[in-house]
Every structure is written in C-alpha cells, then in structure tokens.
C-alpha cells in the first residue's frame, strides 16, 4: 500500500516535472562558467534559445528545467564569454594574410629574400604588397632605402607596410604611378628625400599618395580576406571585433557577407575620417544589424612612436629638436568634435604622444563639458603627461589600450622617451582608475591576434620569453579579473554593446568559448599554452579544436 502511494506520487511528480521541462536549443553543463557579471560570479550551466542565453545556474537547476537536442558537457573546463577585441583592423588583417609576410624579418636582406619568393609564388598580382617590417629589429635600426627594390622589381609596383601601418617603403615604379616627386611637402606626413632622391620611405599621410592608386578591391577579395580572418579569430576565442577606421565601401562588403550568412563575426566599426563617410553617415546616424554596429568615427592625432611620428611635448630623447607632428590641422579636431557631440556617434582618436593626447583630451573636454555617457575614446593613450591623466575622468573619456604594445615597445620606448616620460607610458592601471574600467584590444595586424598574449602582457607585463623578470613597469599591471573584464564586458561597453554581448547572463547573445586551461588560475608560464577548445557565436559552434 505504502509503496503504491509512493509509486503514484513519484509518477505524478515525473509527469508534472516532464510537463514543466522547457525545450531549448542548447545546454552547456558541468563547466566552470565565468559569467563576468557585475559580481564576477561563476556558474555551472546555462541554457540557450534562439541564439540567446535564457538561464544561468547550477547543473541541477538548468538540467531540471530545460532539455535540448544539443547538449555540451564542458567536463569541468572553464567557459568564458567570447572575447571582444576593442581595437583591431579586421579587414587589414584579412588582407595581410594574402600579402608577403614581413613580420619578424631580422634584416632588409631577409625581407628582400622573402619578397622574391612571394613574387615568384604570386605571379598574377598586379602589385607586390607586404606587411610587418620593423627597422627597430634590424642591425643599425635605420630606415631602408629602395635601391635594391628598384633593381629586383623594375616593372611592378611594390608597397611594403611597416608593422604599425604608419610608414611604407615603395619602389620607383610605385612612386611613378603615384606621381610623387623629390622634395614634395604635405601636411601630416613625410616623403623621405636624401641628396635630392626619393628613398621610397613614406610616413603617415604620405602613404595615402601611393595607396590611393592601388587597384579597386572586389567583393571576391573581401570574401577571401574576411573568411580567412574570421577563422583565425575564432580559433583564439574572438567573437566580436572592433575595426578601427574603415571606408563605407568596406562596411557595405561586411554587411553583405554577414547577411549572406558567410561572415559570422560580430563587428563594431569606426568609420575613417573621410568626407565620403561623413556624407553617407552623419545625417543618417549609426547603423545597426544583429552582427554589425557602425557607431564611431576614427581620427588620427599623430603617428607612431616607432617611426617617430608620435607628437611629443618635449623633443624625442633620440632625435634632437624633433617633436613628431599632428596629422591634421588643430581646427579639424575641434570642428569635428562640435559636430559629433550633437550626434550619437562616438569620436575615437588615435593618440600616441603626450602632446597628441593632450591636444585631443582638451578638444574632447571642450565639447563634452564634464560628466557624460557619450564614451568618446582615445585609441592607444600611449604616452600621457602626469598632469593629464585626470582629463580622462573629467569627461568620462575612454582610454582604449592594447597591452601587447607595452611588451613590444619596451625594448626601445625608453630610447625615444627617456626614463621620466616612460613612467606615464603604457600606464594601463593608472588609466583604468580614471573611470573605473578600461577596454582592451590588440591592434592586430600591428600585433599578433592572440588573446592569450594580450592576457599575459596585461597581467604580468612580460614578453613570451618571460622578459623582463619582474615585468615592465609592473605597477601598471592589471589583475586577472580586470583583464578578463577588459577583454569582454568592458570592451563591449566601449562600443555601447554591453547589453548584448560581453557576459554570460540571461538576455545576452550566446557568444562563449570553452578553454583547456583556466585563465583565472593557470600558472604564468602556462598562459600562452592555453587553447580554445570551442567557440560559439549566437549559440552556433563556429570553431572546434
Ligand atoms: Zn590601430
């Protein structure tokens, strides 16, 4: 009798229970789920429906309430929100995958050898293009000249972009096509001329003279570039990327590839400082779809420290009377700020030198006039005068930084800046304290796309070989939690996307990754050995190791 009652009770319980089980698309369970919510709480499981996270909790809670055809047993592995890169160049990166790889060349001769091989392998290319050279890694550390390039490639134009994208070396054929002449002057750029002859080195705005005569990019080019780029990015756990400085034509191609279902990567886009972009977008306002948000305009205050184009308050420590330069007329920044402050667009400005930063901080403060939520950004915020840090907090200006720049530049930044100025450089902790949050990025292809290198550089401020032993200016290291936030929710916030992506919480898009090691706990020496096991965008698996 007693067991009969129990049977009836449990049967009705099962029946009732079954009725209340909700069918969803995907359940992830038995994970160590870092939600990256406000309190940085962990969970074990979550349920996904229609591309969104609908519930987060313990294994018991989720498995009792939901059932799904697709079940992912994370087997105790860490699950994080998909990484978001707050500053990168997705289109350029894709393009660089189809150019001669000049990263890590140790001399000009080695570069020429690589280039000859590339030219032989790609005989149909109208232009020979390469990216990634850095004379700071070569004997003598001085810029090359193009004599050998002219001998090797007398008939084909050659354009080789420096690692930072702020300088190129081109051959005579390219100079001829672009009608560049010795001694020619322009605002915000340098055409290097020695003894009345062009050396082929073009800095900052001078690069545009040659890039404006490049062949038109086709949709087939974009497809090839972006598909290759997204595959590599998914493999390092990136699910949203900020592309800093695109033309409207690039945006149209991205939109089309996303709508065709080919491109799954989410993108936040800053449009380049260009009249055609302003004409198309200023009155229309920001553009938004499920995977694309065009919400910023990207300006350049100055160039880069490596090519001495960064604008400094005092002369460079390694070049007498040389301050670098601003890339536009000062009035241009002010007038654009006054226009943009009355729109919903974010103003985002590349600023490296302490003078470039001060100039833009003052422009922003004049337009924003104190506390606000417009999230105007300074990209890199690399060298800041100690008197200027508070200018970020005064008007809630967002410093958007790339931790691997610190560990890539630390070998020679002191030569450019001297010990005193170096203290205010790559000062991520001090910058974070201005608003209580900071977005992190990589600036790829200037740096490697690796999210784990970003994590290592932010947390211990050492290179891949563990140099320097105590970390470079370690007082500016971020904690592991701050770094994870900087790579997820704070990177989302920097683009007004924090209600959609950046954490594992109900209502958010189901962008998440499973790792083989836990970044919050892994030994420092093992950070770079961490691998992404799976990457999901909108609840769909886009990568599996
Ligand atoms: Zn950049």
């Amino acid at each position: 009798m007693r067991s009969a009652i129990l049977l009836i009770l449990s049967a009705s319980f099962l029946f009732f229970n079954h009725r209340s089980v909700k069918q969803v698309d995907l359940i992830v369970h038995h994970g160590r789920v870092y939600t990256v919510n406000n309190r940085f709480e962990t969970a074990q499981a979550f349920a996904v429906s229609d591309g969104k996270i609908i519930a987060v909790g313990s294994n018991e809670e989720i498995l009792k309430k939901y059932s799904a055809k697709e079940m992912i047993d994370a087997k105790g592995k860490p699950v994080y929100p998909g990484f978001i890169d707050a500053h990168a160049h997705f289109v350029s990166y894709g393009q660089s995958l189809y150019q001669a790889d000049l990263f890590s060349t140790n001399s000009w001769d080695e570069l020429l050898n690589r280039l000859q091989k590339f030219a032989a392998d790609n005989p149909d290319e109208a232009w020979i293009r390469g990216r990634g050279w850095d004379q700071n890694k070569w004997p003598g550390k001085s810029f090359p000249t193009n004599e050998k390039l002219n001998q090797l490639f007398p008939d084909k134009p050659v354009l080789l972009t420096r690692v930072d994208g702020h300088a190129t070396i081109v051959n005579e054929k390219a100079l001829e096509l672009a009608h560049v002449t010795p001694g020619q002057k322009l605002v915000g750029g340098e055409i290097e001329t020695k003894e009345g002859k062009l050396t082929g080195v073009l800095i900052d705005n001078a690069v545009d003279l040659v890039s404006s005569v490049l062949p038109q990019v086709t949709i087939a080019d974009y497809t090839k570039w972006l598909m290759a780029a997204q595959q590599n990015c998914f493999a390092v756990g990136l699910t949203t990327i900020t592309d800093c400085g695109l033309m409207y034509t690039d945006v149209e191609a991205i939109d089309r590839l996303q709508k065709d279902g080919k491109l799954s990567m989410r993108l936040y886009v800053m449009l380049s400082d260009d009249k055609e972009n302003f004409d198309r977008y200023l009155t229309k306002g920001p553009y938004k779809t499920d995977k694309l948000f065009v919400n910023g305009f990207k300006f350049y205050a100055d160039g880069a420290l490596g090519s001495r184009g960064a604008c400094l308050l005092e002369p460079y420590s390694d070049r007498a009377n040389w301050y670098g330069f601003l890339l536009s007329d000062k009035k241009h920044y002010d007038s654009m700020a006054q226009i943009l402050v009355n729109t919903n667009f974010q103003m985002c400005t590349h600023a490296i030198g302490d003078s470039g930063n001060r100039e833009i901080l003052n422009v922003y403060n004049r337009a924003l006039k104190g506390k606000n939520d417009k999230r105007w950004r300074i990209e890199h915020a690399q060298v800041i005068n100690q008197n200027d840090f508070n200018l970020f907090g005064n008007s809630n200006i967002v410093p958007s930084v790339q931790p691997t720049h610190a560990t890539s530049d630390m070998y020679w930044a002191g030569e450019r800046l001297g010990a005193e100025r170096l203290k205010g450089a790559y000062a991520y902790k001090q910058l974070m304290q201005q608003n209580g949050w900071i977005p992190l990025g990589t600036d790829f292809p200037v740096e490697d796309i690796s999210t784990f290198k970003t994590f290592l550089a932010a947390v211990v401020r050492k290179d891949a070989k563990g140099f320097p032993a105590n970390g470079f200016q370690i007082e500016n290291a971020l904690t592991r939690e701050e770094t994870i936030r900087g790579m997820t929710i704070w990177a989302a916030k920097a683009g007004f996307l924090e209600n959609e992506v950046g954490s594992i919480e109900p209502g958010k898009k189901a962008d998440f990754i499973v790792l083989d090691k836990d970044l919050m706990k892994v030994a420092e020496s093992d950070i770079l050995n961490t691998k992404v096991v799976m990457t999901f965008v909108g609840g769909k698996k886009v990568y599996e190791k």
Side-chain angles (χ1 to χ4, degrees):
M1 179 70 188
R2 227 173 137 194
S3 59
I5 290 172
L6 264 177
L7 201 69
I8 292 163
L9 272 174
S10 57
S12 64
F13 175 75
L14 275 172
F15 178 72
F16 175 77
N17 203 31
H18 179 77
R19 283 289 300 271
S20 68
V21 168
K22 203 179 157 206
Q23 193 68 29
V24 294
D25 297 327
L26 167 72
I27 290 173
V28 179
H29 59 97
H30 288 89
R32 193 186 303 135
V33 180
Y34 287 90
T35 63
V36 194
N37 65 6
N38 266 339
R39 282 172 292 175
F40 209 76
E41 285 167 319
T42 52
Q44 294 172 315
F46 56 93
V48 174
S49 197
D50 288 329
K52 285 188 175 172
I53 294 157
I54 59 162
V56 182
S58 66
N59 291 322
E60 211 191 333
E61 283 166 337
I62 298 299
L63 294 172
K64 208 161 75 185
K65 265 196 193 157
Y66 302 96
S67 79
K69 250 190 250 151
E70 194 179 0
M71 301 286 287
I72 304 239
D73 181 350
K75 298 191 174 122
K77 289 194 178 75
V79 181
Y80 283 90
F83 291 135
I84 302 175
D85 195 313
H87 181 120
H89 303 274
F90 185 64
V91 176
S92 303
Y93 169 65
Q95 187 178 23
S96 77
L97 297 173
Y98 290 88
Q99 297 179 353
D101 176 2
L102 309 177
F103 292 91
S104 75
T105 44
N106 293 312
S107 68
W108 177 237
D109 285 334
E110 187 188 343
L111 177 150
L112 292 171
N113 285 337
R114 278 202 209 176
L115 210 57
Q116 279 173 282
K117 183 167 185 317
F118 178 83
D121 293 346
N122 299 276
D124 299 333
E125 295 287 330
W127 282 62
I128 296 168
R129 299 194 57 186
R131 175 148 192 164
W133 61 272
D134 181 358
Q135 84 285 359
N136 286 318
K137 291 179 180 161
W138 299 347
K141 298 187 183 181
S142 55
F143 276 137
T145 55
N146 66 4
E147 280 113 20
K148 283 187 189 166
L149 269 188
N150 301 335
Q151 285 163 18
L152 289 170
F153 306 100
D155 307 316
K156 245 188 203 190
V158 179
L159 190 162
L160 310 177
T161 309
R162 193 179 181 279
V163 61
D164 59 12
H166 287 269
T168 58
I169 180 153
V170 299
N171 67 348
E172 257 167 13
K173 185 72 190 172
L175 290 166
E176 188 187 303
L177 291 171
H179 306 292
V180 181
T181 52
Q184 191 178 333
K185 294 261 180 287
L186 78 168
V187 178
E190 229 192 330
I191 298 165
E192 212 185 53
T193 307
K194 271 187 191 152
E195 290 151 14
K197 273 187 69 187
L198 293 167
T199 66
V201 172
L202 305 171
I203 295 171
D204 287 311
N205 289 348
V207 177
D208 300 342
L209 298 172
V210 174
S211 46
S212 64
V213 297
L214 284 168
Q216 194 80 43
V217 180
T218 64
I219 190 75
D221 292 326
Y222 281 115
T223 309
K224 181 172 86 173
W225 298 346
L226 302 188
M227 301 313 284
Q230 92 169 342
Q231 218 37 55
N232 292 355
C233 290
F234 289 149
V236 293
L238 289 164
T239 53
T240 301
I241 290 169
T242 309
D243 202 324
C244 300
L246 292 181
M247 286 301 294
Y248 70 94
T249 41
D250 299 317
V251 174
E252 284 168 3
I254 288 168
D255 197 23
R256 187 165 145 193
L257 290 174
Q258 286 175 331
K259 283 178 176 160
D260 286 351
K262 288 180 184 160
L263 188 64
S264 306
M265 184 61 77
R266 294 188 205 282
L267 286 150
Y268 169 99
V269 171
M270 296 173 196
L271 292 158
S272 301
D273 174 8
D274 187 286
K275 188 177 177 302
E276 290 197 71
N277 290 332
F278 295 128
D279 288 350
R280 275 181 175 73
Y281 280 91
L282 264 185
T283 45
K284 182 167 93 172
Y287 177 70
K288 192 155 191 328
T289 70
D290 179 51
K291 290 217 158 85
L292 178 62
F293 193 26
V294 182
N295 195 54
F297 281 99
K298 163 92 180 283
F299 299 83
Y300 280 91
D302 55 359
L305 199 60
S307 42
R308 296 190 190 80
C311 190
L312 299 180
L313 294 164
E314 298 296 329
Y316 276 74
S317 301
D318 58 357
R319 183 167 166 186
N321 301 317
W322 181 254
Y323 292 81
F325 44 81
L326 292 178
L327 294 193
S328 294
D329 190 78
K330 286 185 185 187
K331 277 182 244 153
H332 177 61
Y333 307 115
D334 253 322
S335 66
M336 287 316 302
Q338 296 304 332
I339 291 169
L340 289 172
V341 78
N342 295 313
T343 71
N344 288 324
F345 284 107
Q346 288 169 269
M347 186 162 177
C348 315
T349 310
H350 161 118
I352 301 278
D354 49 9
S355 175
N357 273 285
R358 179 178 288 178
E359 192 65 42
I360 300 304
L361 284 164
N362 286 334
V363 167
Y364 281 13
N365 272 285
R366 277 195 290 274
L368 296 167
K369 301 187 176 82
K371 299 287 179 197
N372 68 88
D373 193 33
K374 297 194 83 73
R375 303 185 202 171
W376 283 13
R377 308 168 41 148
I378 292 202
E379 304 303 317
H380 313 306
Q382 203 158 291
V383 187
I384 309 292
N385 185 280
Q386 285 302 337
N387 298 320
D388 296 345
F389 278 93
N390 63 344
L391 295 175
F392 285 90
N394 289 354
S395 288
N396 304 96
I397 294 161
V398 181
S400 159
V401 303
Q402 303 73 37
T404 44
H405 280 348
T407 49
S408 290
D409 298 0
M410 64 185 174
Y411 312 104
W412 48 263
E415 292 168 28
R416 297 274 190 284
L417 299 171
E420 191 54 35
R421 271 188 299 203
L422 192 62
K423 283 184 212 150
Y426 315 94
Y428 308 143
K429 187 78 163 197
Q430 210 178 340
L431 285 168
M432 192 205 78
Q433 287 158 349
Q434 296 308 310
N435 298 306
W437 63 283
I438 194 165
L440 303 178
T442 58
D443 207 7
F444 69 69
V446 174
E447 300 282 352
D448 193 284
I449 62 169
S450 169
T451 45
F452 304 111
K453 285 186 182 166
T454 298
F455 188 83
L456 179 80
V459 170
V460 301
R461 296 179 64 102
K462 294 180 189 178
D463 67 13
K465 291 177 186 139
F467 175 86
N470 297 321
F472 167 67
Q473 306 195 147
I474 193 69
E475 66 280 9
N476 270 303
L478 302 176
T479 66
R480 290 188 186 218
E481 183 182 321
E482 287 161 355
T483 304
I484 292 293
R485 286 184 192 270
M487 294 167 72
T488 56
I489 194 69
W490 290 343
K493 188 175 175 182
F496 286 96
L497 289 170
E498 75 275 19
N499 293 323
E500 292 175 38
V501 293
S503 66
I504 298 177
E505 291 179 275
K508 291 285 180 89
K509 289 179 173 155
D511 296 358
F512 60 91
I513 54 176
V514 181
L515 302 181
D516 70 344
K517 293 182 189 65
D518 188 347
L519 288 176
M520 287 301 292
K521 297 178 178 174
V522 65
E524 186 186 309
S525 56
D526 243 2
I527 290 173
L528 293 184
N529 297 326
T530 309
K531 296 262 177 328
V532 173
V533 180
M534 281 183 267
T535 302
F536 284 77
V537 173
K540 294 211 166 59
K541 196 192 289 171
V542 291
Y543 170 80
E544 182 159 18
K545 190 171 76 163

